[in-house]
Amino acid sequence: MTRPLRADAQRNRERLLEVAAQAFAHDGPQVSMDAIAKQAGVGIGTLYRHFPTREALVEAAYRKELARLCDAAPGLLETMPPDRAVRAWMDLFVEYMSTKRGMADALRAVIASGGNPFAQSRDRLLGAVTTLLHAAADAGSVRTDVRPEDVLVGLGGISLATADPAQAEQAARLLDLLMDGLRHRPT
Amino acid sequence: MTRPLRADAQRNRERLLEVAAQAFAHDGPQVSMDAIAKQAGVGIGTLYRHFPTREALVEAAYRKELARLCDAAPGLLETMPPDRAVRAWMDLFVEYMSTKRGMADALRAVIASGGNPFAQSRDRLLGAVTTLLHAAADAGSVRTDVRPEDVLVGLGGISLATADPAQAEQAARLLDLLMDGLRHRPT
DNA sequence: ACGCTAACCGGAGACTCCTCCGTTTTGCAA
DNA sequence: TTGCAAAACGGAGGAGTCTCCGGTTAGCGT
């Protein structure tokens, strides 16, 4: 299964991603799907076959950049103590989500529908969190009985709840609170 | 300002709320606005004048029940130690949000648009959280430097991020984590 | 009782999302 | 080359959201 795409399909797919990334950056994350399709010179049907939902398109368009976020984790661990690295990465996460506003919505849609369309990025994110948490746990600065999935979903929740740029400080306070929870020693 | 509604407007408003509550309960939170208007025997225009967005309607329809949630706080404080009361109320909050699924979406929309259409319910919720937190702080079981708004938004975030009923356990673990953060003594 | 105006009503219409399916194209096999 | 299925294309259309504005009505002042 998943035989290679036909040449024309491949071309269209790439064109769509290119146009989408540009459109999101230029017109905000709520540009109409029709507009993207038109600009890419394909019909709406084609767009929807490649990306069945708006979220799928957003995810695909941002996948590369999101990978960069994940890849940042090891670097942080090299330049600061593990617990500070965890906290620093959390900031990056929330900042990323609020920059690419469409991302937060996509994230939520996937969370809500327990979706696997996100599986790829999700796994990657989970990997980054796990790495950070393990390092901090080894250093004895966070507890060991917390699941990385929970931390990831928690970060998602904070991003969702503080989507408004005016709430950046509140987001930071919530991250601090989360960190404090992670440091807590169960009695 | 806010002179009393004209008699017919008042009637329509009430009729709409009645029908909406019923429709949400019966057909899920995504029933079409048209359907609600039709069932209430008014035009869509009328519906939208009274409730400018879907979220406003949801909020109004659930306002009473939400008040009950808030009113539950003092009772909890009477029957258990303050910190356990806080935690118990958190469960109620999340459960409520997941029961009235439309509520979570409304909550988010309001958070995102920093809206005051929610102001009424928000104040009430904030009051409940404040009461609980103060009681627990007085008893020395949670720290004193945490803002009730942050806790409320945090609860909202957890609700949003664990909207899927299958994530109930994860929600509980996140609430535990939040509680641990609240208990933490800043060094 | 009766005007009159501010406030309300309601549906047509502009948009968007997404689906469905007849038409077109690709590229393998003969 | 040529034929031909399988795969991809693309737009018409159903459904929904929300806006706009001409028509209607309530209820105050006389």
Side-chain angles (χ1 to χ4, degrees), chain A residues 105 108 111-112 114 143 146-147 149-150 153-154 157 160-162 164 167 170 173-174 177-178 180-182 184, chain B residues 105 108 111-112 114 143 146-147 149-150 153-154 157 160-162 164 167 170 173-174 177-178 180-182 184:
Chain A
D105 276 348
R108 174 173 141 284
I111 286 167
R143 56 155 106 174
V146 168
R147 307 188 192 186
E149 310 95 273
D150 290 355
V153 170
L160 256 26
T162 61
D164 191 317
Q167 291 174 295
Q170 187 168 43
R173 290 197 303 272
L174 282 167
L177 207 52
L178 176 56
D180 287 341
L182 292 178
H184 180 89
Chain B
D105 277 348
R108 175 173 141 284
I111 286 167
R143 55 155 107 173
V146 168
R147 307 188 192 185
E149 311 94 272
D150 291 356
V153 171
L160 256 26
T162 59
D164 191 317
Q167 291 174 295
Q170 188 167 41
R173 291 198 302 271
L174 282 167
L177 207 51
L178 176 56
D180 287 340
L182 293 179
H184 180 89

Side-chain angles (χ1 to χ4, degrees), chain A residues 9-78:
Chain A
Q10 177 70 19
R11 257 197 316 277
N12 278 337
R13 186 170 210 285
E14 261 153 36
R15 186 92 217 287
L16 280 169
L17 277 178
E18 211 172 294
V19 168
Q22 204 170 309
F24 287 140
H26 188 273
D27 301 323
Q30 80 296 12
V31 270
S32 85
M33 299 294 265
D34 289 81
I36 292 176
K38 188 164 291 176
Q39 193 162 359
V42 305
I44 312 101
T46 301
L47 201 179
Y48 274 94
R49 196 161 349 85
H50 283 295
F51 309 101
T53 67
R54 177 188 212 78
E55 284 71 36
L57 177 59
V58 173
E59 196 270 338
Y62 286 143
R63 188 172 301 169
K64 252 192 206 146
E65 240 182 306
L66 204 142
R68 279 228 317 268
L69 170 66
C70 295
D71 292 344
L76 292 176
L77 283 171
E78 279 171 24

